[in-house]
C-alpha cells in the first residue's frame, strides 16, 4: 500500500499544541479477583497448526479451505483449553480470530457425540450483523460434518424463525432480546439440552444494557454446561457476568494493554475548523479514491446525511445504521463486502465484531465518545496482519476526546499534513452537495416523521431505548 502523502496543515501552532497536552482524565477500570490466567505464547515459539491444537481432520480441512493458514494467538491459547472441557474467558483485541476460537471446539464436541442433541450450542452476540456473521462461520466450518444451525435476531418475522427452531438445529446464533422472545412465546422451544454457551463481545452486550436479559436467559440454561465468554476488555460488569455464568474458568489474555491497536495500523489526525469538516472529508475521499473505506459518524442522522452528501459528489457511499430495516442493513453490508460499494458510512453498529475482509481506510468523521470505541473502529482495518490507515477529523470542539484517546492507546498520533489551498479547491462543489443533502434529509424526515422517526428525534422505536448517539440500544 502506498504511503500517505505528507503536506503542511495550516492550523495555528498554539492550538495544535493543545492536542498533545496531558488530559485531565483518562479511562479507568475496576478489577476483582481474577480466574487463572494463561500467559501469552512465547514470541519465538514455532507456529502451531490447527491439528497440533487437537482439532480433528475434517475441521482442519475446513480451516484450510477457508484460508486459515495457522491459528491466531487467541485460537492457539484457548482451543486446547476448550478441548479439555474447561470454561474460558477470552480477552483479545478486535480482529483476532475469536469466532473460530469458540466455534471449532463446539463443532468438535458435536462431532464426538454419538447422538448430538438439538440446541447443542448457543452463541449470543450484541448485534444482528454479528450474529449473522457468526452463523455463516458455523456453517462454513461445519460444512463437512452436516451441522444444522440457525440465526435468531430481531427485525425479522418471528414465524419463520419459530419454524427454523422447530427443526431442532444443533447450534443457535442469536441476539439476546429476540432469543428471550422465543423462549417465552414459541411453543416447544427449550434450551434444557444445551451443552455449550458462548457470550461473544460481552463488554458490548453489557454496554447496550442487555444485562437483565442475560440474567433471564441463564435461568433457561442447564447448570451442567461449558461456557465461553469472549470480550475485548474486562470491565466490572463483565467480571460480574463471569461470576454468574462461569465455573472455575481459565482466562486467556492476548492483548498487552487495555486499549491496544495493531502495529500494522497507521493512525493520523487532522486538526481542522468544525465548519470545514465536509470539505476535508471529500478531500480525503478523493485522496483514497478506489480504496475500501469506512466513515464513522456519531449519529444516525449524520450517517444518512453523509452518505447522501458523498453520493451527490460521485462517491459510491452506502449507509449502515440501527434505524434501517434488517434486510437493508444486511444488503448494505453485503454490497460493501462484495466491493459493489467502496465507501460504508456507519454508526458504531459497524464498529465491532464484523469481519469485513479488506478495509483499507477508516475515517473518524466524528470522534467517538470513549476510547474503547475508537480502538474498535480503527480495528476494522489492518486486520490479520495486513496494513491499514485510520484518520480522525479533530475540531476545536473535540480536544478533550482526542486527548483521552491518545492517553488510552498510549501513543501520539501523527499529523496527516495537508495544504489548505488544495483542500479548499473542493469548497464550491461541497457547498452545493451540502444543500442537496439537506433537502434530501428534510424530505426523508418528513416521510418518516409522521411515525415518529428516530432520525427526527420524536421518539425511539417501540421497545427501544434512547441512546446519546441517536441509535436504539435494543439490537435483539
Amino acid at each position: 500500500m502506498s504511503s500517505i502523502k505528507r503536506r503542511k496543515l495550516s492550523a495555528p501552532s498554539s492550538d495544535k499544541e493543545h492536542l498533545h497536552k496531558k488530559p485531565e482524565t483518562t479511562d479507568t477500570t475496576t478489577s476483582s479477583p481474577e480466574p487463572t490466567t494463561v500467559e501469552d505464547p512465547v514470541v519465538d515459539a514455532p507456529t502451531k497448526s490447527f491439528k497440533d491444537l487437537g482439532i480433528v481432520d475434517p475441521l482442519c480441512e475446513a480451516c484450510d479451505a477457508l484460508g486459515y493458514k495457522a491459528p491466531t494467538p487467541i485460537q492457539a491459547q484457548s482451543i486446547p483449553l476448550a478441548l479439555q472441557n474447561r470454561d474460558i474467558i477470552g480477552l483479545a483485541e478486535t480482529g483476532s480470530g475469536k469466532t473460530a476460537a469458540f466455534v471449532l471446539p463446539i463443532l468438535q464436541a458435536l462431532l464426538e457425540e454419538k447422538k448430538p442433541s438439538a440446541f447443542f450450542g448457543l452463541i449470543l452476540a450484541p448485534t444482528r450483523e454479528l450474529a449473522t456473521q457468526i452463523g455463516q462461520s458455523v456453517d462454513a466450518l461445519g460444512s463437512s460434518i452436516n451441522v444444522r444451525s440457525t440465526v435468531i435476531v430481531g427485525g425479522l418475522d418471528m414465524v419463520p424463525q419459530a419454524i427454523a427452531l422447530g427443526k431442532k438445529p444443533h447450534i443457535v446464533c442469536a441476539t439476546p432480546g429476540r432469543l428471550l422472545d422465543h423462549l417465552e412465546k414459541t411453543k416447544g422451544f427449550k434450551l434444557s439440552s444445551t451443552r455449550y454457551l458462548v457470550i461473544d463481545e460481552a463488554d458490548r452486550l453489557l454496554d447496550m444494557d442487555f444485562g437483565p436479559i442475560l440474567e433471564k436467559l441463564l435461568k433457561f440454561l442447564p447448570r451442567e454446561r461449558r461456557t465461553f465468554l469472549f470480550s475485548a476488555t474486562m470491565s466490572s460488569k463483565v467480571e460480574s457476568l463471569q461470576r454468574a455464568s462461569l465455573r472455575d474458568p481459565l482466562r486467556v489474555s492476548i492483548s498487552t494493554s487495555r486499549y491496544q491497536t495493531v502495529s500494522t495500523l497507521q493512525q493520523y489526525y487532522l486538526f481542522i475548523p468544525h465548519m470545514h469538516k465536509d470539505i476535508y472529508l471529500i478531500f480525503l475521499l478523493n485522496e483514497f479514491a478506489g480504496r475500501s473505506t469506512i466513515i464513522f459518524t456519531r449519529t444516525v442522522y449524520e450517517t444518512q446525511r453523509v452518505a447522501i452528501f458523498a453520493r451527490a459528489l460521485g462517491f459510491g457511499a452506502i449507509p449502515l445504521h440501527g434505524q434501517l430495516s434488517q434486510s437493508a442493513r444486511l444488503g448494505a453490508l453485503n454490497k460493501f463486502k462484495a466491493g459493489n460499494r467502496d465507501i460504508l458510512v456507519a454508526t458504531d453498529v459497524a464498529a465491532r465484531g464484523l469481519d469485513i475482509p479488506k478495509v483499507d481506510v477508516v475515517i473518524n468523521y466524528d470522534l467517538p465518545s470513549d476510547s474503547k470505541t475508537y480502538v474498535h473502529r480503527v480495528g476494522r482495518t489492518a486486520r490479520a496482519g495486513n496494513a491499514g490507515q485510520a484518520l480522525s477529523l479533530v475540531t476545536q470542539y473535540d480536544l478533550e476526546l482526542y486527548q483521552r484517546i491518545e492517553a488510552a492507546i498510549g501513543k501520539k498520533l501523527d499529523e496527516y499534513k495537508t495544504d489548505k489551498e488544495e483542500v479548499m479547491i473542493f469548497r464550491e462543489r461541497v457547498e452545493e452537495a451540502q444543500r442537496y443533502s439537506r433537502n434530501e434529509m428534510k424530505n426523508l424526515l418528513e416521510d418518516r416523521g409522521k411515525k415518529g422517526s428516530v432520525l427526527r428525534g420524536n421518539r425511539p422505536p417501540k421497545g427501544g431505548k434512547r441512546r446519546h448517539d441517536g441509535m436504539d440500544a435494543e439490537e435483539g
Side-chain angles (χ1 to χ4, degrees):
M1 183 175 294
S2 60
S3 60
I4 282 186
K5 298 177 182 178
R6 314 290 287 178
R7 296 190 180 93
K8 182 180 178 182
L9 177 65
S10 54
S13 58
S14 59
D15 286 336
K16 285 193 281 187
E17 289 172 0
H18 286 296
L19 290 175
H20 291 144
K21 279 188 176 181
K22 185 178 179 181
E24 295 180 2
T25 58
T26 58
D27 298 292
T28 59
T29 184
T30 58
S31 60
S32 60
E34 297 182 352
T36 304
T37 299
V38 177
E39 297 295 334
D40 290 355
V42 179
V43 174
D44 295 331
T47 302
K48 291 180 177 291
S49 67
F50 285 99
K51 189 174 182 65
D52 293 333
L53 301 182
I55 297 298
V56 295
D57 288 341
L59 297 179
C60 287
E61 292 169 5
C63 290
D64 187 60
L66 292 171
Y68 298 172
K69 303 300 182 184
T72 65
I74 188 66
Q75 294 164 1
Q77 291 293 292
S78 62
I79 287 175
L81 302 177
L83 295 179
Q84 293 172 22
N85 210 28
R86 294 295 301 268
D87 283 7
I88 294 173
I89 300 171
L91 300 176
E93 64 198 29
T94 184
S96 59
K98 290 181 286 186
T99 301
F102 58 74
V103 169
L104 286 171
I106 295 175
L107 292 178
Q108 184 148 320
L110 186 64
L111 189 61
E112 293 170 352
E113 287 284 307
K114 292 182 179 179
K115 293 183 179 180
S117 62
F119 313 118
F120 184 83
L122 170 63
I123 303 172
L124 299 176
T127 66
R128 303 166 188 174
E129 288 78 15
L130 181 54
T132 301
Q133 179 178 286
I134 294 171
Q136 292 169 346
S137 295
V138 170
D139 291 340
L141 289 168
S143 58
S144 64
I145 63 173
N146 299 317
V147 66
R148 299 192 309 274
S149 70
T150 191
V151 176
I152 303 298
V153 298
L156 299 174
D157 192 340
M158 286 186 65
V159 175
Q161 293 179 351
I163 293 172
L165 291 171
K167 295 179 180 179
K168 310 295 184 183
H170 298 121
I171 298 176
V172 176
C173 305
T175 49
R178 178 52 61 90
L179 181 68
L180 183 61
D181 287 343
H182 280 286
L183 284 167
E184 293 176 342
K185 299 173 184 177
T186 299
K187 187 176 180 181
F189 174 46
K190 297 180 180 179
L191 294 174
S192 55
S193 60
T194 298
R195 294 274 304 280
Y196 284 83
L197 168 66
V198 177
I199 305 174
D200 194 21
E201 300 284 359
D203 48 352
R204 187 173 183 196
L205 276 167
L206 296 172
D207 286 345
M208 296 171 69
D209 297 326
F210 277 122
I213 295 178
L214 290 174
E215 288 180 11
K216 292 181 180 179
L217 290 176
L218 290 174
K219 295 177 181 178
F220 287 94
L221 292 162
R223 293 179 62 85
E224 294 298 322
R225 67 172 192 272
R226 294 275 64 81
T227 302
F228 305 150
L229 187 153
F230 282 81
S231 181
T233 58
M234 179 58 75
S235 65
S236 58
K237 288 182 179 180
V238 175
E239 288 177 341
S240 296
L241 178 61
Q242 163 231 308
R243 288 191 291 270
S245 59
L246 283 75
R247 295 195 301 178
D248 190 25
L250 293 174
R251 177 179 295 182
V252 178
S253 181
I254 301 302
S255 298
T256 57
S257 64
R258 183 168 176 247
Y259 295 112
Q260 184 183 41
T261 55
V262 296
S263 59
T264 54
L265 174 66
Q266 297 175 311
Q267 300 175 73
Y268 300 89
Y269 75 89
L270 293 85
F271 185 49
I272 63 174
H274 184 271
M275 65 183 295
H276 292 157
K277 281 182 75 172
D278 282 349
I279 302 175
Y280 276 87
L281 174 64
I282 295 304
F283 171 80
L284 291 176
L285 293 181
N286 190 65
E287 289 275 283
F288 296 106
R291 298 191 189 180
S292 177
T293 303
I294 299 181
I295 302 170
F296 281 106
T297 63
R298 192 174 297 141
T299 67
V300 168
Y301 181 95
E302 277 296 89
T303 298
Q304 197 75 38
R305 185 195 70 82
V306 169
I308 294 171
F309 164 72
R311 285 201 301 266
L313 289 167
F315 294 99
I318 190 167
L320 176 65
H321 56 72
Q323 295 310 304
L324 295 173
S325 67
Q326 183 60 18
S327 60
R329 288 164 69 170
L330 291 176
L333 197 56
N334 290 335
K335 286 179 181 178
F336 184 66
K337 283 185 175 182
N340 296 330
R341 297 287 188 275
D342 57 2
I343 299 172
L344 183 71
V345 187
T347 57
D348 288 325
V349 73
R352 289 182 59 170
L354 299 185
D355 183 20
I356 303 171
K358 183 172 174 56
V359 177
D360 299 318
V361 182
V362 167
I363 298 175
N364 286 308
Y365 178 84
D366 295 319
L367 284 183
S369 57
D370 63 89
S371 305
K372 179 171 65 175
T373 301
Y374 171 85
V375 173
H376 292 305
R377 283 184 179 185
V378 301
R380 297 306 92 207
T381 186
R383 297 170 73 84
N386 296 317
Q389 297 167 344
L391 301 97
S392 297
L393 301 182
V394 182
T395 75
Q396 65 269 34
Y397 305 115
D398 301 320
L399 295 181
E400 184 178 354
L401 289 177
Y402 178 82
Q403 291 165 14
R404 289 182 178 181
I405 288 169
E406 276 199 334
I409 65 175
K411 66 182 297 183
K412 295 184 184 299
L413 305 190
D414 293 328
E415 181 186 350
Y416 183 71
K417 295 184 179 180
T418 61
D419 186 298
K420 186 175 182 180
E421 291 184 2
E422 290 187 26
V423 175
M424 289 300 141
I425 291 174
F426 295 93
R427 183 169 188 165
E428 186 175 343
R429 292 186 61 207
V430 164
E431 289 175 348
E432 182 180 345
Q434 285 175 326
R435 288 191 291 270
Y436 172 79
S437 62
R438 282 195 295 267
N439 288 333
E440 288 295 302
M441 287 302 296
K442 181 180 178 181
N443 294 334
L444 182 62
L445 292 175
E446 288 176 350
D447 290 341
R448 298 186 179 185
K450 296 174 183 178
K451 297 181 180 180
S453 167
V454 170
L455 286 172
R456 191 181 185 90
N458 289 349
R459 56 187 172 90
K462 185 177 180 181
K465 180 178 178 179
R466 171 71 66 200
R467 287 164 58 100
H468 72 280
D469 58 0
M471 293 168 55
D472 53 325
E474 176 58 67
E475 272 287 326

